[in-house]
Amino acid sequence: SGGAPVGFVKTMNPTDSHVFSFGATDEERTERSLAFLEEQIFCEGPGSIAAVLLESVIGSGGAHIPPVGYMEGVRALCDKYGIVMILDEVMMGFGRTGKFWAFEHFDVIPDIVTSAKGLTGAYLPLSMVAVRAPIKEHFESHPLGWGATFHAHPVAMAAGYECTKYMLEHDIAGRVARILEPIMREEIGRLVERHAGLGAGRCLGAFGCMDLVDPRSGAPVQNFEGSRCSNPEAVAAFRAALRANGLYGFVR
């Protein structure tokens, strides 16, 4: 009753946190985090693992970009043990990172991709799943008895089609990479330098994040779920400032 659903096992992100790091360089982080992941595959039993599911770029966890070689390493492990590789691009798909798909920043092709949000520019709710040919061909001859009330709704589909066509015709992903990313990177750097309550910042395309810290300790001002907040007054002031400037943020 309650808690996380059974059958899902979490693993460590390859990127640094304020308490742990797989290494001082991208090479060390990639080597050690992939070794950790393979050890976890051994412990669970490769035959018991249907898929490895991860975001191409970590989203709500802080817009963390995987170290060089990590995504390719995960792809290699999936191929080695016959595991499906699923990439979640709900947040960063459709040009947000400066590529149409965020996985295009790496030398990988996933088996399954999920996405939404940017598909219709948020005009209408629509999500999608893309699969490689062997998976498609399997379900062509072995269909699932599945349906949804608003599956492939014609109005949402029309919005998705027009938005995708516009993105491609106007090279929106290229404009994000050429125009928005340099501005994002520069302005994030300025904010981090100016404010002691910002520990670090990063971006890829128009997908970025800054880490809120308590300047008295340098540690995160609170946990991800909002617990152990070291400065509730500062968080409340931050929330109020967002709303005063017409911004609605998910602030716990």
Side-chain angles (χ1 to χ4, degrees):
S1 62
V6 297
F8 294 87
V9 178
K10 292 184 179 181
T11 191
M12 292 282 289
N13 289 327
T15 51
D16 296 347
S17 75
H18 71 289
V19 295
F20 179 81
S21 175
F22 275 112
T25 66
D26 270 8
E27 290 76 12
E28 290 178 352
R29 294 184 189 98
T30 295
E31 180 182 0
R32 293 170 183 171
S33 60
L34 289 174
F36 180 92
L37 177 59
E38 187 167 24
E39 179 72 15
Q40 194 165 8
I41 290 172
F42 288 150
C43 291
E44 296 296 329
S48 71
I49 301 172
V52 169
L53 169 62
L54 66 161
E55 291 178 298
S56 302
V57 177
I58 297 169
S60 298
H64 287 287
I65 304 162
V68 175
Y70 178 77
M71 295 295 286
E72 292 83 355
V74 174
R75 174 74 272 182
L77 287 175
C78 288
D79 291 340
K80 180 178 179 179
Y81 295 107
I83 298 170
V84 171
M85 183 181 188
I86 305 175
L87 292 184
D88 173 4
E89 297 229 357
V90 168
M91 294 183 69
M92 73 287 303
F94 294 93
R96 191 171 180 184
T97 67
K99 301 278 190 182
F100 197 84
W101 298 109
F103 70 76
E104 293 181 274
H105 291 282
F106 319 106
D107 186 19
V108 298
I109 300 293
D111 299 303
I112 299 175
V113 177
T114 62
S115 195
K117 296 184 187 295
L119 173 55
T120 63
Y123 286 109
L124 287 170
L126 183 65
S127 59
M128 54 139 283
V129 177
V131 301
R132 296 181 79 169
I135 297 175
K136 170 188 174 294
E137 290 163 4
H138 173 83
F139 287 108
E140 289 284 357
S141 56
H142 301 81
L144 287 174
W146 176 88
T149 303
F150 294 108
H151 171 71
H153 192 284
V155 178
M157 293 290 285
Y161 173 78
E162 292 298 331
C163 286
T164 303
K165 183 170 70 172
Y166 186 93
M167 291 179 217
L168 294 172
E169 289 178 347
H170 294 82
D171 188 26
I172 297 301
R175 290 173 61 85
V176 167
R178 294 190 307 271
I179 300 171
L180 292 183
E181 181 173 336
I183 296 170
M184 285 270 289
R185 195 174 300 279
E186 180 180 355
E187 293 303 320
I188 286 174
R190 287 180 179 176
L191 288 169
V192 170
E193 185 177 350
R194 185 186 311 157
H195 298 287
L198 295 176
R202 61 210 149 264
C203 74
L204 183 63
F207 194 55
C209 182
M210 291 174 285
D211 302 329
L212 291 176
V213 300
D214 189 326
R216 298 169 298 186
S217 64
V221 72
Q222 63 186 30
N223 288 340
F224 284 120
E225 84 284 2
S227 66
R228 299 183 64 182
C229 182
S230 63
N231 197 333
E233 296 80 11
V235 173
F238 177 60
R239 180 191 294 112
L242 287 177
R243 292 179 177 172
N245 285 276
L247 298 172
Y248 290 87
F250 182 45
V251 181
R252 293 183 173 89

